[in-house]
Amino acid sequence: MTIMTIEVPGQSEETFVYLPSMRKVRRISSAQRADSFLGSDITYEDFERRRVADFEIESVREEEVTGEPALRIRARPVRPQSYEFVDFVVARSDQAILATDYFKRGASEPFRTLEAPRPDMVRAAGHVLPTRLLARNALRGTMTEIVITDLQVNPEIDDRLFSVGTLEQQRALE
């Protein structure tokens, strides 16, 4: 599976997913960002890049995660999202995101948690990236484990997967 996101400053991102088993490209609209990714507890939004400018920081506090110093950063999204606020748990040593807790309006407990276990992280292209994610959905009482076996950063992508014709054809179908 290949995911391509086109980021245009000041506009919503465009996301396309290539599904090799179907030999098709699927366009994900901005309205579908919070939808379940292939029926799992992961959302399309979880694959997006996180930027400080996308959030208003409410608080920062020290904590430890499996013996590692970390910061719990509570933030509210600047744009409307499927959650009211989020807690990012960030490692002090290299700013890796160890966990993310999502909260509905007025809730004191997260409705969804995304964890990236430290032993399953790799360094690639100047980033610390997870190769395993655990997503827990408290509302559904479910958990999804995602294992990434062939992580590539900025790989060459076959022009046929996301050709202009393919992307325009998908846009016409939506």
Side-chain angles (χ1 to χ4, degrees), residues 14 16 31-32 40-41 71 81 92 96 107 111 117-118 130 134 142-143 148 166:
E14 294 221 38
F16 300 88
Q32 295 172 302
S40 71
D41 293 307
L71 297 173
Q81 301 290 337
R92 274 205 164 272
F111 73 92
R118 178 55 97 177
L134 303 171
T142 56
M143 195 271 291
I148 302 167
T166 301

Side-chain angles (χ1 to χ4, degrees), residues 9-150:
Q11 297 180 20
S12 62
E13 297 175 347
E14 294 221 38
T15 301
F16 300 88
V17 177
Y18 172 67
L19 304 167
S21 63
M22 299 173 64
R23 300 182 143 248
K24 293 203 179 246
V25 173
R26 178 174 176 223
R27 180 176 183 264
I28 308 302
S29 74
S30 58
Q32 295 172 302
R33 292 173 56 236
D35 287 359
S36 173
F37 178 72
L38 301 176
S40 71
D41 293 307
I42 302 286
T43 67
Y44 291 101
E45 187 175 54
D46 292 330
F47 294 104
E48 293 179 1
R49 186 185 315 221
R50 304 292 182 166
R51 291 186 174 80
V52 172
D54 295 335
F55 297 92
E56 294 175 359
I57 307 300
E58 289 197 353
S59 65
V60 178
R61 73 174 198 259
E62 299 274 344
E63 73 176 51
E64 248 183 51
V65 177
T66 60
E68 180 175 6
L71 297 173
R72 179 171 289 271
I73 303 168
R74 175 151 295 180
R76 287 189 189 279
V78 173
R79 297 181 312 189
Q81 301 290 337
S82 61
Y83 53 90
E84 181 180 20
F85 62 92
V86 60
D87 282 359
F88 295 105
V89 180
V90 180
R92 274 205 164 272
S93 63
D94 58 9
Q95 290 75 51
I97 298 176
L98 304 173
T100 309
D101 293 327
Y102 297 91
F103 296 80
K104 292 281 188 189
R105 183 172 311 282
S108 60
E109 295 295 321
F111 73 92
R112 199 165 74 85
T113 297
L114 194 59
E115 293 178 43
R118 178 55 97 177
D120 299 305
M121 290 189 180
V122 297
R123 288 193 177 276
H127 303 281
V128 180
L129 302 168
T131 60
R132 187 167 150 248
L133 295 170
L134 303 171
R136 290 181 178 82
N137 187 318
L139 297 177
R140 295 186 343 202
T142 56
M143 195 271 291
T144 299
E145 178 180 23
I146 301 285
V147 177
I148 302 167
T149 57
D150 185 17

